[in-house]
Coordinates of all heavy atoms in Angstrom, one line a residue:
M27 N 107.1 101.3 94.4 CA 107.5 102.5 94.9 C 108.2 102.2 96.3 O 108.0 101.3 97.1 CB 106.4 103.5 95.3 CG 106.7 104.8 96.0 SD 105.2 105.7 96.2 CE 105.9 107.2 96.5
Y28 N 109.4 102.9 96.5 CA 110.1 102.7 97.8 C 109.5 103.1 99.0 O 108.9 104.2 99.0 CB 111.5 103.2 97.7 CG 112.5 102.6 96.7 CD1 112.6 103.1 95.4 CD2 113.0 101.4 97.0 CE1 113.4 102.4 94.5 CE2 113.9 100.7 96.2 CZ 114.1 101.2 94.8 OH 114.9 100.6 94.1
V29 N 109.5 102.3 100.0 CA 109.1 102.8 101.4 C 110.3 103.2 102.1 O 110.1 104.2 102.9 CB 108.4 101.5 102.1 CG1 108.0 101.8 103.5 CG2 107.2 101.1 101.2
C30 N 111.3 102.5 102.1 CA 112.5 102.9 102.8 C 113.6 103.0 101.9 O 114.1 102.0 101.2 CB 112.8 101.8 103.8 SG 114.3 102.2 104.7
I31 N 114.2 104.2 101.7 CA 115.3 104.4 100.7 C 116.6 103.8 101.4 O 117.4 103.3 100.7 CB 115.4 105.9 100.3 CG1 114.1 106.4 99.7 CG2 116.7 106.1 99.5 CD1 114.0 107.7 99.5
C32 N 116.8 104.1 102.6 CA 117.9 103.7 103.4 C 118.2 102.2 103.2 O 119.4 101.8 103.1 CB 117.9 104.1 104.8 SG 117.7 105.9 105.1
N33 N 117.2 101.4 103.2 CA 117.4 99.9 103.2 C 116.9 99.3 102.0 O 116.7 98.2 101.8 CB 116.5 99.4 104.4 CG 117.2 99.6 105.7 OD1 118.2 99.1 106.0 ND2 116.6 100.5 106.6
V34 N 116.5 100.3 101.0 CA 116.0 99.7 99.6 C 114.8 98.8 99.7 O 114.9 97.5 99.4 CB 117.2 99.3 98.9 CG1 116.7 99.1 97.4 CG2 118.3 100.0 98.9
V35 N 113.7 99.1 100.5 CA 112.7 98.3 100.6 C 111.4 98.9 100.0 O 111.2 100.1 100.1 CB 112.4 98.0 102.2 CG1 111.0 97.4 102.4 CG2 113.4 97.3 102.9
T36 N 110.7 98.2 99.2 CA 109.6 98.7 98.4 C 108.3 98.2 99.1 O 108.2 97.4 100.0 CB 109.6 98.1 97.0 OG1 109.5 96.6 97.1 CG2 111.0 98.4 96.3
E37 N 107.2 98.9 98.6 CA 105.9 98.5 99.0 C 105.7 97.0 98.8 O 105.0 96.4 99.7 CB 104.8 99.4 98.3 CG 104.7 100.8 98.7 CD 103.6 101.6 98.0 OE1 103.2 101.1 96.9 OE2 103.4 102.6 98.5
D38 N 106.1 96.5 97.7 CA 105.8 95.1 97.4 C 106.5 94.3 98.5 O 106.0 93.2 98.8 CB 106.4 94.6 96.1 CG 105.4 95.1 94.9 OD1 104.2 95.6 95.3 OD2 105.8 95.2 93.8
D39 N 107.7 94.6 98.9 CA 108.4 93.8 99.9 C 107.7 93.9 101.3 O 107.5 92.9 101.9 CB 109.7 94.6 100.2 CG 110.8 94.5 99.1 OD1 110.5 93.5 98.2 OD2 111.7 95.3 98.9
V40 N 107.1 95.1 101.6 CA 106.3 95.2 102.8 C 105.0 94.3 102.7 O 104.6 93.5 103.6 CB 106.1 96.6 103.2 CG1 105.1 96.7 104.5 CG2 107.2 97.4 103.4
H41 N 104.4 94.4 101.5 CA 103.2 93.7 101.3 C 103.3 92.2 101.4 O 102.7 91.4 102.0 CB 102.5 94.1 100.0 CG 101.7 95.4 100.0 ND1 101.7 96.1 99.0 CD2 101.1 96.0 101.0 CE1 101.1 97.3 99.3 NE2 100.7 97.1 100.5
G42 N 104.5 91.7 100.9 CA 105.0 90.4 101.0 C 105.2 89.9 102.4 O 104.7 88.7 102.8
C43 N 105.8 90.8 103.2 CA 105.9 90.5 104.6 C 104.7 90.3 105.3 O 104.4 89.4 106.2 CB 106.8 91.5 105.3 SG 108.5 91.5 104.8
L44 N 103.7 91.2 105.1 CA 102.4 91.1 105.7 C 101.7 89.8 105.2 O 101.0 89.3 106.1 CB 101.5 92.4 105.3 CG 102.1 93.7 105.9 CD1 101.4 94.9 105.3 CD2 102.0 93.7 107.4
A45 N 101.8 89.5 104.0 CA 101.1 88.5 103.5 C 101.7 87.2 104.0 O 101.0 86.0 104.3 CB 101.1 88.2 102.0
N46 N 102.9 87.1 104.6 CA 103.6 86.0 105.1 C 103.5 86.0 106.6 O 104.1 85.1 107.2 CB 105.0 85.9 104.6 CG 105.3 85.5 103.2 OD1 104.5 84.8 102.7 ND2 106.2 86.1 102.6
G47 N 102.7 86.7 107.1 CA 102.3 86.7 108.6 C 102.9 87.8 109.5 O 102.6 87.7 110.7
C48 N 103.6 88.7 109.0 CA 104.1 89.8 109.9 C 102.8 90.6 110.2 O 102.0 91.0 109.4 CB 105.0 90.6 109.2 SG 106.6 89.9 108.8
R49 N 102.7 91.0 111.4 CA 101.6 91.7 112.0 C 101.9 93.0 112.7 O 101.1 93.8 113.1 CB 100.7 90.9 113.0 CG 100.1 89.7 112.3 CD 99.0 90.1 111.3 NE 98.5 89.0 110.5 CZ 98.9 88.7 109.3 NH1 99.8 89.4 108.6 NH2 98.3 87.7 108.8
T50 N 103.2 93.3 112.8 CA 103.5 94.7 113.3 C 104.7 95.2 112.6 O 105.4 94.6 111.7 CB 104.0 94.5 114.8 OG1 105.2 93.7 114.8 CG2 103.0 93.8 115.6
A51 N 104.9 96.6 112.6 CA 105.9 97.2 112.0 C 107.2 96.6 112.4 O 108.1 96.5 111.6 CB 106.0 98.7 112.2
K52 N 107.3 96.2 113.6 CA 108.7 95.7 114.1 C 109.0 94.4 113.4 O 110.1 94.1 112.9 CB 108.6 95.6 115.6 CG 109.9 95.1 116.3 CD 109.7 95.1 117.7 CE 111.1 94.7 118.3 NZ 110.9 94.7 119.9
E53 N 108.0 93.6 113.2 CA 108.1 92.2 112.5 C 108.4 92.5 111.0 O 109.3 91.8 110.4 CB 106.7 91.5 112.6 CG 106.5 91.0 114.1 CD 105.2 90.1 114.1 OE1 104.5 90.1 113.2 OE2 105.0 89.6 115.3
V54 N 107.8 93.5 110.5 CA 108.1 93.7 109.1 C 109.5 94.2 108.8 O 110.2 93.7 108.0 CB 107.0 94.9 108.5 CG1 107.6 95.3 107.2 CG2 105.6 94.3 108.4
K55 N 110.0 95.0 109.7 CA 111.2 95.5 109.6 C 112.3 94.4 109.8 O 113.3 94.3 109.2 CB 111.6 96.6 110.7 CG 111.0 98.0 110.4 CD 111.4 99.0 111.5 CE 110.9 100.4 111.0 NZ 111.4 101.5 112.0
A56 N 112.1 93.5 110.8 CA 112.9 92.3 111.0 C 112.9 91.5 109.7 O 114.0 91.0 109.4 CB 112.5 91.6 112.2
A57 N 111.7 91.3 109.2 CA 111.7 90.3 108.1 C 112.3 90.9 106.8 O 112.8 90.2 106.0 CB 110.2 90.0 107.7
C58 N 112.3 92.3 106.7 CA 112.9 92.9 105.5 C 114.3 93.2 105.8 O 115.0 93.7 104.8 CB 112.2 94.2 105.2 SG 110.5 93.9 104.5
G59 N 114.9 92.9 107.0 CA 116.2 93.0 107.2 C 116.6 94.5 107.4 O 117.7 94.8 107.0
F60 N 115.7 95.3 108.0 CA 116.1 96.7 108.2 C 117.3 96.9 109.1 O 117.4 96.2 110.0 CB 114.8 97.4 108.9 CG 113.9 98.0 108.0 CD1 113.1 97.2 107.1 CD2 113.7 99.2 107.8 CE1 112.3 97.6 106.2 CE2 112.8 99.8 107.0 CZ 112.0 99.0 106.1
K61 N 118.1 97.8 108.6 CA 119.2 98.3 109.5 C 118.9 99.6 110.0 O 118.1 100.3 109.3 CB 120.5 98.2 108.8 CG 120.9 96.7 108.4 CD 122.3 96.7 107.7 CE 122.6 95.3 107.4 NZ 121.7 94.3 106.8
P62 N 119.5 100.2 111.0 CA 119.2 101.5 111.4 C 119.5 102.6 110.3 O 120.4 102.5 109.6 CB 120.3 101.8 112.7 CG 120.5 100.4 113.0 CD 120.4 99.6 111.9
G63 N 118.5 103.4 110.1 CA 118.7 104.5 109.1 C 118.1 105.8 109.6 O 118.1 106.1 110.8
C64 N 117.6 106.5 108.7 CA 117.0 107.9 109.1 C 115.7 107.9 109.8 O 115.4 108.8 110.6 CB 116.9 108.8 107.9 SG 115.6 108.3 106.7
G65 N 114.9 106.8 109.7 CA 113.6 106.7 110.4 C 112.5 107.3 109.7 O 111.4 107.3 110.3
M66 N 112.7 107.9 108.5 CA 111.6 108.6 107.7 C 110.5 107.6 107.4 O 109.4 107.9 107.0 CB 112.1 109.4 106.5 CG 113.1 110.4 106.9 SD 112.3 111.8 107.8 CE 111.2 112.5 106.4
C67 N 110.8 106.3 107.3 CA 109.9 105.3 106.7 C 109.0 104.7 107.9 O 108.0 104.1 107.5 CB 110.6 104.2 106.0 SG 111.8 103.4 107.1
T68 N 109.3 104.9 109.0 CA 108.7 104.3 110.1 C 107.1 104.5 110.2 O 106.2 103.6 110.2 CB 109.2 104.7 111.5 OG1 110.6 104.4 111.5 CG2 108.5 104.0 112.6
K69 N 106.7 105.8 109.9 CA 105.3 106.1 109.9 C 104.6 105.4 108.7 O 103.5 104.9 108.9 CB 105.1 107.6 109.9 CG 103.7 108.1 109.9 CD 103.5 109.6 110.0 CE 102.0 110.0 110.0 NZ 101.8 111.4 109.9
R70 N 105.2 105.5 107.6 CA 104.7 104.8 106.3 C 104.4 103.3 106.6 O 103.5 102.6 106.2 CB 105.5 105.0 105.2 CG 105.0 104.3 103.9 CD 103.7 104.8 103.4 NE 103.3 104.2 102.3 CZ 102.0 103.7 102.1 NH1 101.0 104.1 103.1 NH2 101.6 103.0 101.0
I71 N 105.5 102.6 107.3 CA 105.3 101.2 107.5 C 104.2 100.9 108.5 O 103.4 100.0 108.3 CB 106.6 100.6 108.1 CG1 107.7 100.7 106.9 CG2 106.5 99.2 108.6 CD1 109.1 100.4 107.3
H72 N 104.1 101.8 109.6 CA 103.0 101.6 110.5 C 101.6 101.8 109.8 O 100.7 101.1 110.1 CB 103.1 102.7 111.6 CG 104.0 102.3 112.8 ND1 103.8 101.4 113.8 CD2 105.4 102.6 113.0 CE1 104.8 101.2 114.5 NE2 105.7 101.9 114.1
T73 N 101.5 102.8 109.0 CA 100.3 103.0 108.2 C 100.0 101.7 107.3 O 98.8 101.3 107.2 CB 100.4 104.1 107.3 OG1 100.7 105.3 108.1 CG2 99.3 104.5 106.5
M74 N 101.0 101.2 106.7 CA 100.8 100.0 105.8 C 100.2 98.7 106.6 O 99.3 98.1 106.2 CB 101.9 99.6 105.0 CG 102.4 100.7 103.9 SD 103.9 100.3 103.1 CE 103.3 98.9 102.1
V75 N 100.9 98.6 107.7 CA 100.4 97.5 108.7 C 99.0 97.7 109.1 O 98.1 96.9 109.0 CB 101.4 97.4 109.9 CG1 100.8 96.5 110.9 CG2 102.8 97.0 109.4
S76 N 98.6 99.0 109.5 CA 97.3 99.4 110.0 C 96.2 99.1 108.8 O 95.2 98.6 109.0 CB 97.3 100.9 110.4 OG 96.0 101.1 110.7
E77 N 96.6 99.5 107.6 CA 95.8 99.3 106.4 C 95.6 97.9 106.1 O 94.4 97.4 105.9 CB 96.4 100.0 105.2 CG 96.3 101.5 105.2 CD 97.1 102.1 104.1 OE1 97.8 101.5 103.3 OE2 97.0 103.4 103.9
Y78 N 96.5 97.1 106.3 CA 96.5 95.7 106.1 C 95.6 95.0 107.1 O 94.6 94.2 106.8 CB 97.8 95.0 106.1 CG 97.9 93.5 105.6 CD1 98.0 93.2 104.4 CD2 97.8 92.5 106.6 CE1 98.0 91.9 104.0 CE2 97.8 91.3 106.2 CZ 97.9 90.9 104.9 OH 97.9 89.6 104.4
R79 N 95.7 95.4 108.3 CA 94.9 94.9 109.4 C 93.4 95.3 109.2 O 92.5 94.6 109.2 CB 95.3 95.4 110.8 CG 96.4 94.8 111.3 CD 96.6 95.2 112.8 NE 97.8 94.7 113.4 CZ 98.3 95.4 114.4 NH1 97.7 96.4 115.0 NH2 99.5 95.0 114.9
T80 N 93.2 96.6 108.8 CA 91.8 97.1 108.6 C 91.2 96.4 107.4 O 90.0 96.1 107.4 CB 91.9 98.6 108.3 OG1 92.5 99.2 109.4 CG2 90.5 99.2 108.1
A81 N 91.9 96.1 106.4 CA 91.3 95.5 105.3 C 90.9 94.1 105.6 O 89.9 93.5 105.2 CB 92.4 95.4 104.1
G82 N 91.8 93.3 106.4 CA 91.3 92.0 106.9 C 90.1 92.0 107.8 O 89.3 91.1 107.6
E83 N 90.0 93.0 108.6 CA 88.9 93.0 109.5 C 87.6 93.4 108.8 O 86.6 92.9 108.9 CB 89.2 94.1 110.6 CG 90.3 93.7 111.6 CD 90.7 94.8 112.5 OE1 90.1 95.9 112.4 OE2 91.5 94.6 113.3
L84 N 87.8 94.3 107.7 CA 86.7 94.7 107.0 C 86.1 93.4 106.2 O 85.0 93.1 106.0 CB 87.0 95.8 106.0 CG 86.0 96.2 105.0 CD1 84.7 96.7 105.8 CD2 86.5 97.4 104.1
A85 N 87.1 92.7 105.5 CA 86.7 91.4 104.8 C 86.0 90.4 105.7 O 85.0 89.9 105.3 CB 87.9 90.9 104.1
D86 N 86.5 90.3 107.0 CA 85.8 89.4 107.9 C 84.4 89.9 108.2 O 83.5 89.2 108.3 CB 86.6 89.3 109.2 CG 87.9 88.5 109.1 OD1 87.9 87.8 107.9 OD2 88.6 88.4 109.9
A87 N 84.2 91.2 108.4 CA 83.0 91.9 108.8 C 82.0 91.6 107.6 O 80.8 91.2 107.8 CB 83.0 93.2 109.1
L88 N 82.4 91.7 106.3 CA 81.5 91.5 105.2 C 81.2 90.1 105.0 O 80.1 89.8 104.4 CB 82.2 92.2 104.0 CG 82.3 93.7 104.0 CD1 83.1 94.2 102.8 CD2 80.9 94.4 104.1
T89 N 82.1 89.1 105.2 CA 81.9 87.8 104.9 C 81.4 87.0 106.1 O 81.2 85.8 106.1 CB 83.2 87.2 104.3 OG1 84.2 87.2 105.4 CG2 83.6 87.9 103.0
G90 N 81.4 87.7 107.3 CA 81.1 86.8 108.5 C 82.4 86.3 109.0 O 82.1 85.6 110.1
G91 N 83.5 86.6 108.7 CA 84.7 86.1 109.3 C 85.0 84.7 108.9 O 84.1 84.0 108.3
P92 N 86.1 84.2 109.3 CA 86.4 82.9 109.0 C 85.5 81.9 109.8 O 85.1 82.3 110.9 CB 88.0 82.7 109.4 CG 88.0 83.9 110.4 CD 87.1 84.9 109.9
L93 N 85.2 80.8 109.2 CA 84.3 79.8 109.9 C 85.1 79.2 111.0 O 86.3 78.9 110.9 CB 83.8 78.7 108.9 CG 82.8 79.3 107.8 CD1 82.6 78.2 106.7 CD2 81.7 79.9 108.3
P94 N 84.4 78.9 112.1 CA 85.1 78.1 113.1 C 85.4 76.8 112.8 O 84.6 76.1 112.0 CB 84.0 78.2 114.4 CG 82.7 78.4 113.7 CD 83.0 79.2 112.5
L95 N 86.5 76.3 113.2 CA 86.8 74.9 112.9 C 86.0 73.9 113.7 O 85.6 74.1 114.8 CB 88.3 74.7 113.4 CG 89.4 75.5 112.6 CD1 90.7 75.3 113.1 CD2 89.3 75.2 111.1
A96 N 85.7 72.8 113.2 CA 84.8 71.9 113.7 C 85.4 70.5 113.3 O 85.9 70.3 112.3 CB 83.4 71.9 113.1
A97 N 85.2 69.6 114.3 CA 85.7 68.2 114.0 C 84.9 67.6 112.9 O 83.7 67.8 112.8 CB 85.7 67.4 115.4
V98 N 85.5 66.9 112.1 CA 84.8 66.0 111.0 C 84.9 64.6 111.3 O 85.8 64.0 111.6 CB 85.6 66.3 109.6 CG1 84.9 65.4 108.5 CG2 85.7 67.8 109.3
A99 N 83.6 64.1 111.4 CA 83.5 62.6 111.6 C 84.0 61.8 110.6 O 84.0 62.2 109.4 CB 81.9 62.3 111.8
E100 N 84.6 60.7 110.9 CA 85.1 59.8 109.9 C 84.0 59.3 109.0 O 83.0 58.7 109.6 CB 86.0 58.7 110.6 CG 86.7 57.9 109.6 CD 87.6 57.0 110.3 OE1 88.3 57.3 111.3 OE2 87.8 55.8 109.8
A101 N 84.2 59.3 107.8 CA 83.1 58.8 106.9 C 83.1 57.3 106.9 O 84.2 56.6 107.0 CB 83.4 59.3 105.4
P102 N 81.9 56.7 106.9 CA 81.9 55.2 106.8 C 82.5 54.7 105.5 O 82.5 55.4 104.5 CB 80.4 54.9 106.8 CG 79.7 56.2 106.5 CD 80.6 57.2 106.8
A103 N 83.0 53.6 105.5 CA 83.6 52.9 104.3 C 82.6 52.8 103.2 O 81.5 52.4 103.5 CB 84.3 51.6 104.6
A104 N 83.0 53.1 102.0 CA 82.0 53.0 100.8 C 81.9 51.5 100.6 O 82.9 50.8 100.6 CB 82.6 53.8 99.7
P105 N 80.7 51.1 100.2 CA 80.6 49.7 99.8 C 81.4 49.4 98.4 O 81.5 50.3 97.6 CB 79.1 49.5 99.5 CG 78.5 50.9 99.2 CD 79.4 51.7 100.0
Q106 N 81.9 48.2 98.4 CA 82.6 47.8 97.2 C 81.6 47.2 96.1 O 80.7 46.6 96.5 CB 83.6 46.7 97.6 CG 85.0 47.2 98.2 CD 85.9 46.1 98.3 OE1 85.6 44.9 98.7 NE2 87.1 46.4 97.9
I107 N 82.0 47.6 95.0 CA 81.2 47.1 93.8 C 81.8 45.8 93.3 O 83.0 45.9 92.8 CB 80.9 48.1 92.8 CG1 80.2 49.3 93.4 CG2 80.2 47.6 91.7 CD1 80.0 50.5 92.5
V108 N 81.0 44.7 93.3 CA 81.6 43.5 92.8 C 80.7 43.0 91.6 O 79.5 42.9 91.8 CB 81.5 42.4 93.9 CG1 82.0 41.0 93.4 CG2 82.3 42.8 95.1
P109 N 81.3 42.8 90.4 CA 80.5 42.4 89.3 C 79.8 41.0 89.6 O 80.4 40.1 90.2 CB 81.5 42.3 88.2 CG 82.8 42.5 88.8 CD 82.8 42.9 90.2
D110 N 78.6 40.9 89.2 CA 77.8 39.7 89.4 C 77.9 38.9 88.1 O 77.4 39.2 87.1 CB 76.4 40.0 89.7 CG 75.5 38.9 89.8 OD1 76.0 37.8 90.2 OD2 74.2 39.0 89.9
A111 N 78.5 37.7 88.2 CA 78.8 36.8 87.1 C 77.5 36.4 86.5 O 77.4 36.1 85.3 CB 79.7 35.6 87.6
A112 N 76.5 36.0 87.3 CA 75.2 35.5 86.7 C 74.4 36.5 85.9 O 73.6 36.2 85.0 CB 74.3 35.1 87.9
E113 N 74.8 37.9 86.1 CA 74.1 38.9 85.3 C 75.0 39.4 84.2 O 74.8 40.6 84.0 CB 73.5 39.9 86.2 CG 72.4 39.3 87.1 CD 71.7 40.4 87.9 OE1 71.9 41.6 87.6 OE2 71.0 40.1 88.9
G114 N 76.0 38.7 83.9 CA 76.9 39.3 82.9 C 78.0 40.3 83.5 O 78.7 40.9 82.6
G115 N 78.1 40.4 84.8 CA 79.1 41.2 85.4 C 78.8 42.7 85.3 O 79.6 43.4 85.5
T116 N 77.4 43.1 85.2 CA 77.1 44.5 85.1 C 76.4 45.0 86.2 O 76.5 46.2 86.5 CB 76.3 44.8 83.8 OG1 75.1 43.9 83.9 CG2 77.1 44.4 82.5
A117 N 75.8 44.2 87.1 CA 75.0 44.7 88.3 C 76.0 44.8 89.4 O 76.6 43.8 89.8 CB 73.9 43.7 88.5
P118 N 75.9 46.0 89.9 CA 76.8 46.2 91.1 C 76.2 45.4 92.4 O 75.0 45.6 92.5 CB 76.8 47.7 91.3 CG 75.6 48.3 90.5 CD 75.3 47.3 89.6
Q119 N 77.0 45.0 93.2 CA 76.5 44.4 94.5 C 77.6 44.7 95.6 O 78.7 45.0 95.1 CB 76.3 42.9 94.4 CG 75.3 42.4 93.5 CD 75.2 40.9 93.5 OE1 76.0 40.2 94.0 NE2 74.1 40.4 93.0
T120 N 77.1 44.7 96.8 CA 78.1 45.1 97.7 C 78.9 43.8 98.3 O 78.2 42.7 98.1 CB 77.4 45.7 99.0 OG1 76.4 44.8 99.5 CG2 76.8 47.0 98.6
A121 N 80.0 44.0 98.6 CA 80.9 42.8 99.0 C 80.4 42.4 100.4 O 79.9 43.2 101.1 CB 82.3 43.1 99.0
A122 N 80.5 41.1 100.7 CA 80.1 40.6 102.0 C 81.2 40.9 103.1 O 82.2 41.0 102.9 CB 79.8 39.1 102.0
Ligands
FES7 S1 113.9 105.7 104.8 FE1 113.9 103.9 106.0 S2 115.4 104.2 107.5 FE2 115.6 105.8 106.2

């Protein structure tokens, strides 16, 4: 469905802008290449941005939000498995 007839912008276009990081109606308009028109779509775009934000906040509230980032310690080197010739090469041993 068209959101802006003057600029031929659809709901999918706006949702795509929001998914790509636009967080305000001004950013959506810039990303969609809006040119000055009648302005009838402005309220609808603001509503769509607000709905998108609300949906994200609701999802965060239900899931506990995104986990905080934490440093990951470097894992120790895994021991190398060397075949033991005395046992037919089947018993794993660690390299010296
Ligand atoms: S409908 Fe968007 S500027 Fe006219």
Side-chain angles (χ1 to χ4, degrees):
M27 179 176 196
Y28 285 103
V29 173
C30 176
I31 298 169
C32 298
N33 289 287
V34 193
V35 173
T36 64
E37 287 181 340
D38 287 344
D39 295 333
V40 174
H41 286 144
C43 291
L44 293 169
N46 287 329
C48 294
R49 293 295 174 261
T50 64
K52 187 175 183 179
E53 290 176 354
V54 168
K55 286 183 172 187
C58 289
F60 271 64
K61 294 179 175 54
C64 69
M66 293 293 293
C67 57
T68 300
K69 185 176 178 183
R70 177 68 185 133
I71 293 170
H72 279 279
T73 300
M74 292 178 73
V75 170
S76 179
E77 288 171 350
Y78 188 84
R79 282 188 188 161
T80 303
E83 290 167 4
L84 179 60
D86 285 349
L88 293 173
T89 62
L93 295 175
L95 296 176
V98 177
E100 190 171 320
Q106 279 190 315
I107 298 176
V108 178
D110 183 10
E113 297 184 14
T116 56
Q119 293 183 347
T120 58

